[in-house]
Amino acid sequence: MTHRYFLWKLTGAAMAASLLLSCSRPDPAPEVKKAPEEMTAEMLQKFDEKKFGMFIHWGLYALPAGEWKGEYIRGIGEWIMFRARIPVAEYEKLAAEFNPVKFNAEEWAQLAQDAGMQYLVITSKHHDGFAMFDSAVTKYDIVDATPFGRDPMKELSAACRKRGIGFGFYYSQDQDWHEPNGRGNDWDFPQERQAQIYLENKVLPQVKEILKGYGDLSLIWFDTPGLLSEQQVTDLAKTVKTLQPYCLLNSRIGHDKGDYRQTGDNAIPIQVYSGTKWEVPATLNDTWGFKKNDTNWKDPADLIGKLADIVSKGGNYLLNVGPTAEGVIPEASQEILRTMGRWLKTNGESIYGASASPFYFPDITWRCTVRPGKVYLHILNWPGPAFRFQGLESEVQRAYFLATGEDVPFKRDGVALDFALPEKPVDANNTVLVLDIADELPRVAAGFGHDELPERLDLYAWSARFRGEDLRYDKPSKSASNFIKAETFPNELWWYNYGALEGEYSVEITYSCDSKIAGSAYRVGLHTGNQEPYFELAGRVEGTAGRFVTKTVDGALKISARDQHISFGLPGDTKSAGIKVQKITLVRRAR
Ligand code: FHN
């Protein structure tokens, strides 16, 4: 396997570590002498080092909080205007009620810091078109249109700066349901829109405002570029870089003009994803903007596992909170984030500035991050007292738990290391086992490199995106259930390819189903984008008397690099809501 990318990452990580420590300001003032690429590279390095950030979706939608005229509106909270087709004139009235008197920038920034988050990105304007900052371009902003009358972004950017937390703005550059020439609102504005007018009159001037009024920005996080032309996106990127050459652009600016890549929402690549810097934007429950009835909070252990999973694969984790209309980050979110922060306080060495795994992941027992001379094994699903780790050729000088410093006995058997672990995890959230190795970089045995996937690959529910809001995870059986039929958004498991899989595969499903409820049709789908599968394998759920069994699905999946994700679901389920799906296994037939 090639170590070039890996080496580059390690050197970069070391550089970035020293930069981060020596730098109290997260974002240096532009030095015009440097070439643009150099400035971007410098910031990308720092960005890569940070690993964990806070995303904040906050806007007028926090007031209806998922309910309109007494009716529950399915889907993510910040989309309520769109989903309920609320006329502009009615939605605008929310501004007069929006008074987040409990907003406290210091508390929000402190929460980010307590959580171990190194950067923060907040919605300056979401798709509803309302500016959460003081904008001279329109009166439709938090200072002019609400009784609150303060600019919370001024306070928050200052509170972040004070703590050395990178500060960035989310800005919806194409979708704007408030504007006739923005994209998305066809209930008020059925006529054809003229994007250029909207760009010139709202987007470019507002983007200039957020660049000029809030100090050095770490990044601008654009979203849903839609149908903007390459020229329009180029102009937007130029506007940003002219005013702040150090400000990073995310890939959702469109037309490949970003500095780093976003995965899909809540979409974690199935294996190591290299070649570019990337970030996973993700939710703590099933919404970004506050929804009063969404209490489907993810388990902190699961989130700590996901953080380790993402860093092991080379990415950053941007985890969202949706404050209420009063300006309070929900208590449950705060508790989860503080739990993550406590874990990071002890185990941060294995996350910040760490490089991706040089090994592929055969299952979900462990993930791996690396620093010079050290391999960190994040044991996420405890294997019991005997743990075999394969593929490391480097001599291991010492193995110990990061949290306690306690030595862990092991024996070598060729390229396998057999560790004697305690019966129970040292830390139920993620026990980090550190290997001090004799090499600067781990030497990886042939057949175990991250780019050498095995003939059988398990895709567990644990590592899937749960699509739809009804699915639930059962920790003891590591399975997903409640694949009920839904009017909008099918309840499905989605596994993101990101180029890891190419070839022809048989598929096996490991599941359990009470025999009395068996019968519904399931499908394993291949998708090039967020729409319905263009190809599917189908079968019917058979009863297993409640035991987990593995069954082969008829047919084969031909997966290519253009396939975005693989799904499992029961789209028309009327009977088998109790089926528990633990994993699907891809068995290679041909390359
Ligand atoms: O439509 C938005 C959504 O509301 C949210 O802001 C997420 C965050 O990544 N981005 C969009 C969809 O991808």
Side-chain angles (χ1 to χ4, degrees):
M1 67 173 289
T2 166
H3 283 294
R4 248 191 349 211
Y5 169 70
F6 189 55
L7 246 173
W8 171 73
K9 292 263 295 182
L10 270 183
T11 334
M15 264 174 53
S18 62
L19 266 173
L20 196 81
L21 292 172
S22 66
C23 188
S24 58
R25 292 180 65 196
D27 314 300
E31 270 183 43
V32 276
K33 274 175 254 134
K34 288 191 182 166
E37 314 78 63
E38 250 185 285
M39 292 186 269
T40 299
E42 198 179 298
M43 288 309 278
L44 277 176
Q45 209 59 70
K46 294 178 82 176
F47 173 73
D48 188 44
E49 166 76 9
K50 292 175 201 269
K51 292 298 176 205
F52 191 29
M54 178 182 273
F55 210 178
I56 305 181
H57 276 68
W58 195 39
L60 297 182
Y61 38 80
L63 266 174
E67 201 178 292
W68 193 250
K69 297 191 172 159
E71 200 188 318
Y72 171 70
I73 307 295
R74 210 175 146 86
I76 44 187
E78 70 283 5
W79 272 70
I80 194 161
M81 180 178 177
F82 184 93
R83 298 237 183 281
R85 298 287 189 271
I86 304 173
V88 166
E90 260 185 76
Y91 191 85
E92 271 180 344
K93 289 189 190 139
L94 291 172
E97 285 171 57
F98 193 78
N99 196 10
V101 286
K102 294 190 180 156
F103 168 73
N104 183 325
E106 294 292 328
E107 281 175 15
W108 287 17
Q110 191 55 44
L111 176 64
Q113 190 167 40
D114 292 347
M117 291 161 147
Q118 309 277 320
Y119 63 109
L120 185 150
V121 183
I122 184 162
T123 44
S124 60
K125 175 184 85 87
H126 202 267
H127 310 330
D128 65 356
F130 186 74
M132 290 295 285
F133 62 100
D134 189 12
S135 173
V137 175
T138 169
K139 290 256 173 268
Y140 196 48
D141 72 61
I142 189 161
V143 175
D144 296 315
T146 76
F148 188 54
R150 262 157 63 194
D151 182 345
M153 302 303 161
K154 283 262 186 252
E155 298 167 37
L156 192 59
S157 55
C160 285
R161 193 150 295 114
K162 198 162 104 184
R163 291 169 176 80
I165 295 173
F167 184 78
F169 278 123
Y170 171 108
Y171 190 92
S172 174
Q173 77 274 35
D174 185 39
Q175 284 198 86
D176 191 320
W177 309 322
H178 187 258
E179 307 301 329
N181 289 305
R183 180 167 62 90
N185 181 345
D186 55 9
W187 56 99
D188 282 301
F189 313 118
Q191 71 279 18
E192 204 175 313
R193 74 173 186 136
Q194 295 188 41
Q196 190 59 25
I197 295 180
Y198 157 68
L199 278 177
E200 280 170 21
N201 293 344
K202 186 165 184 181
V203 177
L204 294 174
Q206 282 199 332
V207 166
K208 283 181 192 159
E209 288 180 327
I210 58 176
L211 283 158
K212 285 180 182 165
Y214 303 87
D216 297 326
L217 301 184
S218 292
L219 54 94
I220 298 192
W221 214 99
F222 291 105
D223 203 8
T224 59
L227 301 175
L228 294 184
S229 70
E230 183 161 2
Q231 189 55 51
Q232 288 166 331
V233 172
T234 306
D235 292 345
L236 182 58
K238 206 166 143 208
T239 302
V240 175
K241 296 286 183 177
T242 305
L243 286 169
Q244 289 205 29
Y246 277 100
C247 178
L248 292 177
L249 299 169
N250 68 331
S251 56
R252 293 192 191 176
I253 191 172
H255 290 285
D256 236 351
K257 303 291 176 205
D259 299 315
Y260 72 97
R261 181 157 184 196
Q262 246 79 49
T263 64
D265 295 342
N266 290 300
I268 303 177
I270 56 174
Q271 292 285 333
V272 173
Y273 177 44
S274 51
T276 180
K277 310 261 183 208
W278 54 275
E279 176 191 56
V280 179
T283 50
L284 281 178
N285 47 355
D286 291 321
T287 182
W288 305 88
F290 178 68
K291 254 183 116 170
K292 59 187 164 209
N293 293 330
D294 186 343
T295 54
N296 188 23
W297 302 106
K298 288 175 187 146
D299 176 5
D302 187 35
L303 293 159
I304 291 168
K306 284 190 181 347
L307 173 63
D309 189 25
I310 290 165
V311 177
S312 295
K313 290 167 178 171
N316 283 18
Y317 199 18
L318 184 63
L319 199 49
N320 183 72
V321 293
T324 65
E326 284 195 302
V328 176
I329 296 178
E331 194 58 45
S333 307
Q334 294 194 35
E335 271 174 40
I336 292 171
L337 294 185
R338 292 207 171 90
T339 305
M340 296 184 80
R342 280 193 293 277
W343 181 86
L344 276 161
K345 238 188 165 59
T346 312
N347 297 284
E349 177 192 316
S350 65
I351 297 289
Y352 304 118
S355 297
S357 172
F359 310 98
Y360 78 80
F361 305 117
D363 56 26
I364 54 172
T365 307
W366 56 270
R367 289 294 181 259
C368 167
T369 56
V370 171
R371 273 176 180 282
K374 285 185 192 290
V375 169
Y376 301 92
L377 295 177
H378 299 255
I379 309 183
L380 301 175
N381 289 286
W382 197 252
F387 169 45
R388 171 162 271 222
F389 172 67
Q390 302 204 74
L392 179 63
E393 281 185 339
S394 301
E395 182 199 335
V396 176
Q397 297 165 323
R398 187 187 164 213
Y400 59 97
F401 293 124
L402 186 55
T404 60
E406 188 194 339
D407 277 348
V408 176
F410 65 93
K411 282 198 188 112
R412 184 173 273 284
D413 176 11
V415 295
L417 293 164
D418 289 309
F419 294 94
L421 299 181
E423 280 293 335
K424 296 240 155 72
V426 175
D427 184 334
N429 289 325
N430 171 1
T431 303
V432 180
L433 172 59
V434 189
L435 312 183
D436 283 348
I437 55 171
D439 299 305
E440 173 93 348
L441 293 177
R443 278 186 292 114
V444 180
F448 292 93
H450 71 76
D451 45 7
E452 302 169 283
L453 295 188
E455 297 301 296
R456 292 176 62 84
L457 192 69
D458 287 327
L459 302 180
Y460 279 85
W462 179 87
S463 53
R465 171 183 178 184
F466 281 34
R467 179 73 176 151
E469 54 193 62
D470 303 298
L471 287 185
R472 292 294 177 268
Y473 187 67
D474 179 54
K475 212 169 175 176
S477 65
K478 300 185 180 59
S479 65
S481 64
N482 214 27
F483 290 86
I484 57 173
K485 183 171 159 58
E487 292 308 318
T488 37
F489 312 123
N491 288 299
E492 290 182 339
L493 299 176
W494 286 10
W495 292 274
Y496 285 83
N497 183 18
Y498 284 99
L501 297 166
E502 261 184 272
E504 192 176 324
Y505 301 86
S506 301
V507 181
E508 296 170 359
I509 301 178
T510 301
Y511 74 98
S512 78
C513 185
D514 193 273
S515 301
K516 289 199 289 283
I517 60 165
S520 294
Y522 65 77
R523 75 173 183 208
V524 176
L526 270 183
H527 309 243
T528 48
N530 281 349
Q531 58 284 75
E532 282 288 281
Y534 72 89
F535 178 80
E536 62 187 63
L537 300 179
R540 216 162 258 288
V541 176
E542 293 169 31
T544 72
R547 285 191 318 272
F548 276 91
V549 298
T550 300
K551 304 248 174 179
T552 304
V553 186
D554 286 341
L557 278 189
K558 273 196 190 134
I559 305 179
S560 76
R562 76 192 175 103
D563 291 321
Q564 183 200 67
H565 68 273
I566 302 154
S567 67
F568 174 89
L570 292 91
D573 184 25
T574 49
K575 291 180 75 181
S576 312
I579 178 181
K580 289 183 173 174
V581 176
Q582 192 182 65
K583 63 180 180 182
I584 66 170
T585 304
L586 302 178
V587 185
R588 193 183 288 282
R589 289 178 158 199
R591 294 205 179 251

